[in-house]
């Protein structure tokens, strides 16, 4: 499956900027308000960011190979 350039750009922005910023926000605010599941939420967001980044990296590699 080929990614449309616009979809790729949005997903890349989400993986590189939005998810790490969200993780930092959850970690900071979660500790400040003593949210019991802060660590779990941060781990889940970071895991998704790594997954998305890996998929996009594979897509980029395959695109550049051709």
């Amino acid at each position: 499956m080929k990614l449309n350039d616009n979809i790729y750009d949005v997903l890349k922005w989400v993986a590189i900027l939005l998810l790490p910023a969200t993780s930092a926000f959850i970690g900071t605010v979660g500790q400040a308000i003593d949210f019991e599941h802060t660590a779990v939420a941060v781990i889940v967001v970071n895991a998704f960011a790594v997954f998305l980044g890996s998929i996009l990296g594979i897509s980029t590699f395959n695109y550049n190979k051709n």
Side-chain angles (χ1 to χ4, degrees):
M1 178 178 129
K2 253 187 162 174
L3 283 179
N4 177 309
D5 285 344
N6 291 334
I7 294 171
Y8 174 81
D9 290 341
V10 169
L11 290 175
K12 185 177 171 185
W13 179 82
V14 168
I16 292 174
L17 295 173
L18 182 66
L19 290 175
T22 302
S23 176
F25 178 79
I26 291 169
T28 303
V29 173
Q31 283 186 327
I33 64 171
D34 202 26
F35 177 57
E36 183 179 344
H37 303 290
T38 298
V40 173
V42 169
I43 290 168
V44 169
V45 172
N46 284 334
F48 184 65
V50 170
F51 171 76
L52 189 57
S54 298
I55 297 300
L56 291 171
I58 291 168
S59 177
T60 300
F61 176 80
N62 288 334
Y63 178 81
N64 289 332
K65 188 170 63 172
N66 294 332

Short mmCIF file of all heavy atoms in Angstrom, two decimals:
data_model
loop_
_atom_site.label_atom_id
_atom_site.label_comp_id
_atom_site.label_asym_id
_atom_site.label_seq_id
_atom_site.Cartn_x
_atom_site.Cartn_y
_atom_site.Cartn_z
N MET A 1 0.84 -1.18 0.00
CA MET A 1 0.00 0.00 0.00
C MET A 1 0.88 1.24 0.00
O MET A 1 1.80 1.36 0.79
CB MET A 1 -0.88 0.00 1.25
CG MET A 1 -1.76 1.19 1.37
SD MET A 1 -2.80 1.07 2.84
CE MET A 1 -2.46 2.65 3.55
N LYS A 2 0.59 2.15 -0.90
CA LYS A 2 1.33 3.39 -0.98
C LYS A 2 0.63 4.47 -0.18
O LYS A 2 -0.58 4.62 -0.24
CB LYS A 2 1.44 3.83 -2.43
CG LYS A 2 2.80 3.67 -3.01
CD LYS A 2 2.85 4.28 -4.37
CE LYS A 2 4.29 4.48 -4.72
NZ LYS A 2 4.47 4.94 -6.06
N LEU A 3 1.41 5.23 0.58
CA LEU A 3 0.85 6.34 1.35
C LEU A 3 0.82 7.59 0.49
O LEU A 3 1.79 7.92 -0.18
CB LEU A 3 1.70 6.62 2.59
CG LEU A 3 1.58 5.70 3.77
CD1 LEU A 3 2.51 6.14 4.88
CD2 LEU A 3 0.16 5.65 4.28
N ASN A 4 -0.28 8.27 0.53
CA ASN A 4 -0.39 9.58 -0.08
C ASN A 4 0.59 10.51 0.64
O ASN A 4 0.79 10.39 1.84
CB ASN A 4 -1.84 10.04 0.10
CG ASN A 4 -2.10 11.42 -0.41
OD1 ASN A 4 -1.40 12.36 -0.08
ND2 ASN A 4 -3.14 11.53 -1.21
N ASP A 5 1.21 11.45 -0.08
CA ASP A 5 2.18 12.36 0.54
C ASP A 5 1.59 13.15 1.70
O ASP A 5 2.25 13.35 2.72
CB ASP A 5 2.75 13.33 -0.50
CG ASP A 5 3.75 12.67 -1.43
OD1 ASP A 5 4.22 11.57 -1.12
OD2 ASP A 5 4.04 13.28 -2.48
N ASN A 6 0.35 13.59 1.57
CA ASN A 6 -0.29 14.36 2.64
C ASN A 6 -0.51 13.51 3.88
O ASN A 6 -0.29 13.96 5.01
CB ASN A 6 -1.61 14.96 2.18
CG ASN A 6 -1.42 16.04 1.14
OD1 ASN A 6 -0.39 16.70 1.09
ND2 ASN A 6 -2.42 16.22 0.29
N ILE A 7 -0.95 12.27 3.68
CA ILE A 7 -1.15 11.36 4.81
C ILE A 7 0.17 11.08 5.49
O ILE A 7 0.27 11.09 6.72
CB ILE A 7 -1.84 10.06 4.35
CG1 ILE A 7 -3.26 10.34 3.87
CG2 ILE A 7 -1.85 9.03 5.47
CD1 ILE A 7 -3.93 9.17 3.21
N TYR A 8 1.21 10.82 4.70
CA TYR A 8 2.53 10.57 5.25
C TYR A 8 3.01 11.76 6.08
O TYR A 8 3.51 11.59 7.19
CB TYR A 8 3.53 10.29 4.12
CG TYR A 8 4.95 10.16 4.61
CD1 TYR A 8 5.42 8.98 5.16
CD2 TYR A 8 5.82 11.25 4.53
CE1 TYR A 8 6.72 8.87 5.62
CE2 TYR A 8 7.11 11.15 4.99
CZ TYR A 8 7.56 9.96 5.53
OH TYR A 8 8.84 9.86 6.00
N ASP A 9 2.84 12.97 5.56
CA ASP A 9 3.28 14.17 6.28
C ASP A 9 2.55 14.33 7.60
O ASP A 9 3.17 14.68 8.62
CB ASP A 9 3.10 15.42 5.41
CG ASP A 9 4.08 15.48 4.24
OD1 ASP A 9 5.11 14.77 4.29
OD2 ASP A 9 3.79 16.21 3.28
N VAL A 10 1.26 14.08 7.61
CA VAL A 10 0.48 14.19 8.85
C VAL A 10 0.93 13.13 9.86
O VAL A 10 1.15 13.42 11.04
CB VAL A 10 -1.03 14.08 8.57
CG1 VAL A 10 -1.82 13.92 9.85
CG2 VAL A 10 -1.52 15.29 7.79
N LEU A 11 1.07 11.89 9.40
CA LEU A 11 1.50 10.82 10.30
C LEU A 11 2.90 11.07 10.85
O LEU A 11 3.18 10.81 12.02
CB LEU A 11 1.44 9.46 9.59
CG LEU A 11 0.04 8.94 9.30
CD1 LEU A 11 0.13 7.65 8.47
CD2 LEU A 11 -0.73 8.70 10.58
N LYS A 12 3.78 11.60 10.00
CA LYS A 12 5.13 11.93 10.45
C LYS A 12 5.09 13.02 11.52
O LYS A 12 5.78 12.93 12.54
CB LYS A 12 5.97 12.39 9.25
CG LYS A 12 7.41 12.64 9.57
CD LYS A 12 8.16 13.01 8.30
CE LYS A 12 9.55 13.49 8.62
NZ LYS A 12 10.26 13.97 7.42
N TRP A 13 4.26 14.04 11.32
CA TRP A 13 4.10 15.11 12.31
C TRP A 13 3.57 14.55 13.62
O TRP A 13 4.04 14.92 14.70
CB TRP A 13 3.17 16.18 11.75
CG TRP A 13 2.92 17.31 12.69
CD1 TRP A 13 3.72 18.39 12.91
CD2 TRP A 13 1.80 17.46 13.56
NE1 TRP A 13 3.15 19.20 13.86
CE2 TRP A 13 1.97 18.65 14.28
CE3 TRP A 13 0.65 16.70 13.79
CZ2 TRP A 13 1.06 19.10 15.21
CZ3 TRP A 13 -0.26 17.15 14.72
CH2 TRP A 13 -0.05 18.34 15.42
N VAL A 14 2.60 13.64 13.53
CA VAL A 14 2.03 13.02 14.73
C VAL A 14 3.10 12.22 15.46
O VAL A 14 3.25 12.34 16.69
CB VAL A 14 0.83 12.11 14.36
CG1 VAL A 14 0.43 11.23 15.54
CG2 VAL A 14 -0.35 12.95 13.90
N ALA A 15 3.88 11.42 14.74
CA ALA A 15 4.89 10.56 15.36
C ALA A 15 6.05 11.36 15.94
O ALA A 15 6.57 11.02 17.01
CB ALA A 15 5.41 9.55 14.35
N ILE A 16 6.46 12.41 15.24
CA ILE A 16 7.67 13.15 15.66
C ILE A 16 7.37 14.26 16.65
O ILE A 16 8.18 14.52 17.56
CB ILE A 16 8.39 13.71 14.42
CG1 ILE A 16 8.97 12.56 13.60
CG2 ILE A 16 9.48 14.68 14.80
CD1 ILE A 16 9.57 12.99 12.29
N LEU A 17 6.22 14.90 16.54
CA LEU A 17 5.92 16.06 17.39
C LEU A 17 4.76 15.85 18.36
O LEU A 17 4.90 16.10 19.56
CB LEU A 17 5.64 17.29 16.51
CG LEU A 17 6.80 17.80 15.69
CD1 LEU A 17 6.35 18.89 14.75
CD2 LEU A 17 7.90 18.31 16.59
N LEU A 18 3.62 15.45 17.84
CA LEU A 18 2.43 15.41 18.67
C LEU A 18 2.50 14.36 19.78
O LEU A 18 2.22 14.66 20.94
CB LEU A 18 1.19 15.16 17.80
CG LEU A 18 -0.13 15.14 18.56
CD1 LEU A 18 -0.43 16.52 19.12
CD2 LEU A 18 -1.25 14.67 17.68
N LEU A 19 2.85 13.13 19.45
CA LEU A 19 2.86 12.08 20.47
C LEU A 19 3.92 12.31 21.56
O LEU A 19 3.61 12.16 22.74
CB LEU A 19 3.01 10.71 19.82
CG LEU A 19 1.78 10.25 19.03
CD1 LEU A 19 2.06 8.94 18.32
CD2 LEU A 19 0.57 10.13 19.93
N PRO A 20 5.16 12.69 21.20
CA PRO A 20 6.12 12.99 22.28
C PRO A 20 5.68 14.17 23.16
O PRO A 20 5.85 14.12 24.39
CB PRO A 20 7.42 13.31 21.54
CG PRO A 20 7.30 12.57 20.26
CD PRO A 20 5.84 12.65 19.90
N ALA A 21 5.10 15.20 22.55
CA ALA A 21 4.61 16.34 23.34
C ALA A 21 3.46 15.92 24.24
O ALA A 21 3.37 16.34 25.40
CB ALA A 21 4.18 17.47 22.41
N THR A 22 2.59 15.07 23.73
CA THR A 22 1.48 14.56 24.53
C THR A 22 1.99 13.74 25.70
O THR A 22 1.49 13.86 26.83
CB THR A 22 0.54 13.71 23.65
OG1 THR A 22 0.06 14.52 22.58
CG2 THR A 22 -0.63 13.16 24.45
N SER A 23 2.97 12.92 25.45
CA SER A 23 3.57 12.10 26.51
C SER A 23 4.18 12.97 27.61
O SER A 23 3.98 12.71 28.80
CB SER A 23 4.63 11.18 25.91
OG SER A 23 5.28 10.45 26.91
N ALA A 24 4.91 13.99 27.20
CA ALA A 24 5.51 14.90 28.19
C ALA A 24 4.42 15.63 28.98
O ALA A 24 4.55 15.79 30.21
CB ALA A 24 6.41 15.91 27.49
N PHE A 25 3.38 16.05 28.31
CA PHE A 25 2.26 16.73 28.98
C PHE A 25 1.59 15.80 29.99
O PHE A 25 1.35 16.18 31.13
CB PHE A 25 1.25 17.21 27.94
CG PHE A 25 0.05 17.88 28.54
CD1 PHE A 25 0.12 19.19 28.98
CD2 PHE A 25 -1.15 17.20 28.67
CE1 PHE A 25 -0.98 19.81 29.54
CE2 PHE A 25 -2.26 17.80 29.23
CZ PHE A 25 -2.18 19.12 29.67
N ILE A 26 1.30 14.58 29.57
CA ILE A 26 0.66 13.61 30.48
C ILE A 26 1.56 13.33 31.68
O ILE A 26 1.09 13.28 32.82
CB ILE A 26 0.34 12.30 29.74
CG1 ILE A 26 -0.79 12.52 28.73
CG2 ILE A 26 -0.06 11.20 30.72
CD1 ILE A 26 -1.00 11.35 27.77
N GLY A 27 2.85 13.16 31.43
CA GLY A 27 3.78 12.88 32.53
C GLY A 27 3.86 14.03 33.52
O GLY A 27 3.83 13.81 34.74
N THR A 28 3.94 15.23 33.02
CA THR A 28 4.06 16.41 33.88
C THR A 28 2.77 16.69 34.65
O THR A 28 2.78 16.82 35.88
CB THR A 28 4.46 17.64 33.05
OG1 THR A 28 5.67 17.35 32.36
CG2 THR A 28 4.64 18.85 33.93
N VAL A 29 1.68 16.78 33.93
CA VAL A 29 0.41 17.10 34.57
C VAL A 29 -0.05 15.94 35.45
O VAL A 29 -0.59 16.15 36.54
CB VAL A 29 -0.66 17.46 33.51
CG1 VAL A 29 -2.03 17.63 34.14
CG2 VAL A 29 -0.25 18.72 32.78
N GLY A 30 0.17 14.71 34.98
CA GLY A 30 -0.22 13.55 35.77
C GLY A 30 0.45 13.52 37.13
O GLY A 30 -0.19 13.21 38.15
N GLN A 31 1.74 13.85 37.18
CA GLN A 31 2.43 13.91 38.47
C GLN A 31 1.94 15.08 39.30
O GLN A 31 1.79 14.97 40.51
CB GLN A 31 3.94 14.02 38.26
CG GLN A 31 4.57 12.70 37.87
CD GLN A 31 6.09 12.82 37.81
OE1 GLN A 31 6.64 13.85 37.47
NE2 GLN A 31 6.76 11.73 38.17
N ALA A 32 1.69 16.20 38.65
CA ALA A 32 1.25 17.40 39.38
C ALA A 32 -0.10 17.19 40.06
O ALA A 32 -0.32 17.69 41.17
CB ALA A 32 1.18 18.60 38.44
N ILE A 33 -0.98 16.45 39.41
CA ILE A 33 -2.31 16.23 40.00
C ILE A 33 -2.41 14.87 40.68
O ILE A 33 -3.49 14.47 41.11
CB ILE A 33 -3.42 16.39 38.96
CG1 ILE A 33 -3.33 15.34 37.86
CG2 ILE A 33 -3.42 17.80 38.38
CD1 ILE A 33 -4.51 15.32 36.91
N ASP A 34 -1.28 14.18 40.78
CA ASP A 34 -1.20 12.88 41.44
C ASP A 34 -2.13 11.84 40.80
O ASP A 34 -2.82 11.09 41.47
CB ASP A 34 -1.52 13.02 42.93
CG ASP A 34 -0.94 11.87 43.75
OD1 ASP A 34 0.06 11.27 43.30
OD2 ASP A 34 -1.50 11.57 44.82
N PHE A 35 -2.11 11.82 39.45
CA PHE A 35 -2.88 10.83 38.69
C PHE A 35 -2.23 9.47 38.87
O PHE A 35 -1.05 9.28 38.58
CB PHE A 35 -2.94 11.23 37.22
CG PHE A 35 -3.66 10.26 36.33
CD1 PHE A 35 -4.97 9.89 36.57
CD2 PHE A 35 -3.01 9.72 35.23
CE1 PHE A 35 -5.63 8.99 35.73
CE2 PHE A 35 -3.66 8.82 34.39
CZ PHE A 35 -4.97 8.46 34.64
N GLU A 36 -2.98 8.51 39.35
CA GLU A 36 -2.45 7.20 39.71
C GLU A 36 -1.83 6.44 38.53
O GLU A 36 -0.86 5.70 38.70
CB GLU A 36 -3.57 6.36 40.32
CG GLU A 36 -3.14 5.00 40.82
CD GLU A 36 -4.28 4.23 41.43
OE1 GLU A 36 -5.33 4.83 41.75
OE2 GLU A 36 -4.13 3.02 41.59
N HIS A 37 -2.36 6.62 37.34
CA HIS A 37 -1.92 5.83 36.19
C HIS A 37 -1.07 6.63 35.21
O HIS A 37 -1.05 6.33 34.01
CB HIS A 37 -3.14 5.24 35.49
CG HIS A 37 -3.98 4.40 36.38
ND1 HIS A 37 -3.57 3.18 36.86
CD2 HIS A 37 -5.20 4.63 36.91
CE1 HIS A 37 -4.51 2.67 37.64
NE2 HIS A 37 -5.52 3.54 37.70
N THR A 38 -0.36 7.61 35.70
CA THR A 38 0.47 8.45 34.84
C THR A 38 1.50 7.63 34.08
O THR A 38 1.65 7.78 32.86
CB THR A 38 1.19 9.55 35.67
OG1 THR A 38 0.21 10.37 36.28
CG2 THR A 38 2.10 10.39 34.81
N ALA A 39 2.20 6.77 34.77
CA ALA A 39 3.26 5.98 34.13
C ALA A 39 2.70 5.10 33.02
O ALA A 39 3.29 4.99 31.94
CB ALA A 39 4.00 5.14 35.16
N VAL A 40 1.56 4.49 33.26
CA VAL A 40 0.95 3.62 32.25
C VAL A 40 0.55 4.44 31.02
O VAL A 40 0.80 4.03 29.88
CB VAL A 40 -0.28 2.88 32.83
CG1 VAL A 40 -1.02 2.13 31.75
CG2 VAL A 40 0.14 1.95 33.94
N ALA A 41 -0.04 5.59 31.23
CA ALA A 41 -0.46 6.44 30.12
C ALA A 41 0.74 6.89 29.29
O ALA A 41 0.70 6.86 28.06
CB ALA A 41 -1.23 7.66 30.64
N VAL A 42 1.82 7.27 29.95
CA VAL A 42 3.03 7.70 29.25
C VAL A 42 3.62 6.54 28.46
O VAL A 42 4.03 6.71 27.30
CB VAL A 42 4.06 8.29 30.24
CG1 VAL A 42 5.42 8.48 29.59
CG2 VAL A 42 3.55 9.60 30.81
N ILE A 43 3.66 5.36 29.04
CA ILE A 43 4.20 4.19 28.35
C ILE A 43 3.38 3.87 27.10
O ILE A 43 3.93 3.58 26.03
CB ILE A 43 4.27 2.97 29.30
CG1 ILE A 43 5.35 3.19 30.33
CG2 ILE A 43 4.50 1.68 28.53
CD1 ILE A 43 5.32 2.19 31.49
N VAL A 44 2.06 3.93 27.21
CA VAL A 44 1.19 3.61 26.07
C VAL A 44 1.40 4.63 24.94
O VAL A 44 1.54 4.25 23.77
CB VAL A 44 -0.29 3.55 26.50
CG1 VAL A 44 -1.21 3.50 25.31
CG2 VAL A 44 -0.51 2.36 27.42
N VAL A 45 1.44 5.91 25.27
CA VAL A 45 1.63 6.94 24.25
C VAL A 45 3.00 6.78 23.60
O VAL A 45 3.13 6.85 22.36
CB VAL A 45 1.46 8.36 24.84
CG1 VAL A 45 1.86 9.42 23.83
CG2 VAL A 45 0.03 8.57 25.30
N ASN A 46 4.03 6.54 24.39
CA ASN A 46 5.38 6.36 23.83
C ASN A 46 5.46 5.10 22.96
O ASN A 46 6.12 5.11 21.92
CB ASN A 46 6.42 6.32 24.93
CG ASN A 46 6.72 7.68 25.49
OD1 ASN A 46 6.55 8.69 24.82
ND2 ASN A 46 7.18 7.72 26.72
N ALA A 47 4.82 4.03 23.39
CA ALA A 47 4.83 2.80 22.60
C ALA A 47 4.16 3.03 21.24
O ALA A 47 4.66 2.56 20.21
CB ALA A 47 4.12 1.68 23.35
N PHE A 48 3.07 3.76 21.22
CA PHE A 48 2.40 4.06 19.96
C PHE A 48 3.27 4.94 19.07
O PHE A 48 3.35 4.75 17.86
CB PHE A 48 1.03 4.70 20.19
CG PHE A 48 0.28 4.93 18.92
CD1 PHE A 48 -0.13 3.87 18.14
CD2 PHE A 48 -0.02 6.22 18.51
CE1 PHE A 48 -0.82 4.08 16.95
CE2 PHE A 48 -0.70 6.43 17.32
CZ PHE A 48 -1.10 5.36 16.55
N ALA A 49 3.97 5.90 19.68
CA ALA A 49 4.87 6.78 18.92
C ALA A 49 5.99 5.96 18.27
O ALA A 49 6.32 6.18 17.10
CB ALA A 49 5.46 7.86 19.83
N VAL A 50 6.56 5.03 19.01
CA VAL A 50 7.63 4.18 18.46
C VAL A 50 7.08 3.30 17.34
O VAL A 50 7.70 3.14 16.30
CB VAL A 50 8.28 3.33 19.57
CG1 VAL A 50 9.19 2.28 18.98
CG2 VAL A 50 9.03 4.22 20.55
N PHE A 51 5.90 2.72 17.56
CA PHE A 51 5.27 1.88 16.53
C PHE A 51 5.04 2.68 15.25
O PHE A 51 5.41 2.25 14.16
CB PHE A 51 3.94 1.33 17.06
CG PHE A 51 3.12 0.65 16.02
CD1 PHE A 51 3.45 -0.62 15.58
CD2 PHE A 51 2.01 1.28 15.48
CE1 PHE A 51 2.68 -1.25 14.60
CE2 PHE A 51 1.25 0.66 14.51
CZ PHE A 51 1.58 -0.61 14.07
N LEU A 52 4.44 3.86 15.38
CA LEU A 52 4.14 4.68 14.21
C LEU A 52 5.42 5.13 13.52
O LEU A 52 5.53 5.10 12.29
CB LEU A 52 3.30 5.89 14.63
CG LEU A 52 2.72 6.75 13.53
CD1 LEU A 52 1.86 5.92 12.59
CD2 LEU A 52 1.90 7.88 14.14
N GLY A 53 6.42 5.52 14.30
CA GLY A 53 7.70 5.92 13.73
C GLY A 53 8.37 4.78 12.97
O GLY A 53 8.95 4.98 11.90
N SER A 54 8.27 3.57 13.50
CA SER A 54 8.85 2.40 12.83
C SER A 54 8.15 2.12 11.51
O SER A 54 8.80 1.85 10.49
CB SER A 54 8.75 1.18 13.72
OG SER A 54 9.47 1.37 14.90
N ILE A 55 6.84 2.16 11.52
CA ILE A 55 6.07 1.93 10.29
C ILE A 55 6.40 2.98 9.24
O ILE A 55 6.59 2.68 8.06
CB ILE A 55 4.56 1.92 10.60
CG1 ILE A 55 4.20 0.78 11.53
CG2 ILE A 55 3.73 1.86 9.32
CD1 ILE A 55 4.53 -0.59 11.00
N LEU A 56 6.50 4.22 9.67
CA LEU A 56 6.84 5.30 8.73
C LEU A 56 8.27 5.15 8.22
O LEU A 56 8.56 5.45 7.06
CB LEU A 56 6.64 6.66 9.37
CG LEU A 56 5.19 7.04 9.64
CD1 LEU A 56 5.11 8.30 10.47
CD2 LEU A 56 4.42 7.19 8.34
N GLY A 57 9.17 4.70 9.08
CA GLY A 57 10.55 4.47 8.66
C GLY A 57 10.64 3.38 7.60
O GLY A 57 11.38 3.51 6.62
N ILE A 58 9.88 2.32 7.77
CA ILE A 58 9.84 1.24 6.77
C ILE A 58 9.26 1.77 5.46
O ILE A 58 9.78 1.47 4.38
CB ILE A 58 9.02 0.05 7.31
CG1 ILE A 58 9.76 -0.62 8.45
CG2 ILE A 58 8.73 -0.95 6.19
CD1 ILE A 58 8.93 -1.62 9.23
N SER A 59 8.20 2.56 5.57
CA SER A 59 7.59 3.14 4.37
C SER A 59 8.58 4.03 3.63
O SER A 59 8.69 3.97 2.40
CB SER A 59 6.35 3.94 4.77
OG SER A 59 5.79 4.57 3.66
N THR A 60 9.30 4.85 4.36
CA THR A 60 10.30 5.74 3.76
C THR A 60 11.41 4.94 3.09
O THR A 60 11.84 5.24 1.98
CB THR A 60 10.90 6.68 4.82
OG1 THR A 60 9.84 7.46 5.38
CG2 THR A 60 11.94 7.60 4.22
N PHE A 61 11.89 3.90 3.76
CA PHE A 61 12.94 3.05 3.20
C PHE A 61 12.47 2.42 1.90
O PHE A 61 13.20 2.44 0.90
CB PHE A 61 13.33 1.95 4.21
CG PHE A 61 14.32 0.99 3.67
CD1 PHE A 61 15.67 1.31 3.61
CD2 PHE A 61 13.92 -0.27 3.21
CE1 PHE A 61 16.60 0.41 3.10
CE2 PHE A 61 14.83 -1.17 2.71
CZ PHE A 61 16.18 -0.84 2.65
N ASN A 62 11.28 1.87 1.89
CA ASN A 62 10.75 1.23 0.67
C ASN A 62 10.54 2.25 -0.46
O ASN A 62 10.79 1.94 -1.62
CB ASN A 62 9.45 0.49 0.97
CG ASN A 62 9.68 -0.76 1.77
OD1 ASN A 62 10.75 -1.36 1.71
ND2 ASN A 62 8.68 -1.17 2.54
N TYR A 63 10.10 3.44 -0.12
CA TYR A 63 9.90 4.48 -1.11
C TYR A 63 11.24 4.89 -1.74
O TYR A 63 11.35 5.02 -2.96
CB TYR A 63 9.21 5.68 -0.49
CG TYR A 63 9.00 6.83 -1.45
CD1 TYR A 63 7.93 6.82 -2.34
CD2 TYR A 63 9.87 7.92 -1.47
CE1 TYR A 63 7.73 7.86 -3.23
CE2 TYR A 63 9.68 8.96 -2.35
CZ TYR A 63 8.62 8.93 -3.23
OH TYR A 63 8.43 9.97 -4.12
N ASN A 64 12.26 5.09 -0.91
CA ASN A 64 13.57 5.52 -1.39
C ASN A 64 14.30 4.42 -2.13
O ASN A 64 15.16 4.70 -2.96
CB ASN A 64 14.44 6.03 -0.23
CG ASN A 64 13.93 7.35 0.29
OD1 ASN A 64 13.32 8.15 -0.44
ND2 ASN A 64 14.14 7.60 1.56
N LYS A 65 13.97 3.18 -1.86
CA LYS A 65 14.60 2.04 -2.53
C LYS A 65 14.19 2.00 -4.00
O LYS A 65 14.96 1.59 -4.85
CB LYS A 65 14.20 0.74 -1.81
CG LYS A 65 14.94 -0.48 -2.30
CD LYS A 65 14.71 -1.67 -1.41
CE LYS A 65 13.26 -2.09 -1.40
NZ LYS A 65 13.03 -3.37 -0.71
N ASN A 66 12.96 2.42 -4.28
CA ASN A 66 12.46 2.40 -5.66
C ASN A 66 12.90 3.63 -6.34
O ASN A 66 13.14 4.21 -7.08
CB ASN A 66 10.93 2.30 -5.69
CG ASN A 66 10.46 0.98 -5.13
OD1 ASN A 66 11.17 -0.01 -5.20
ND2 ASN A 66 9.27 0.96 -4.55
#
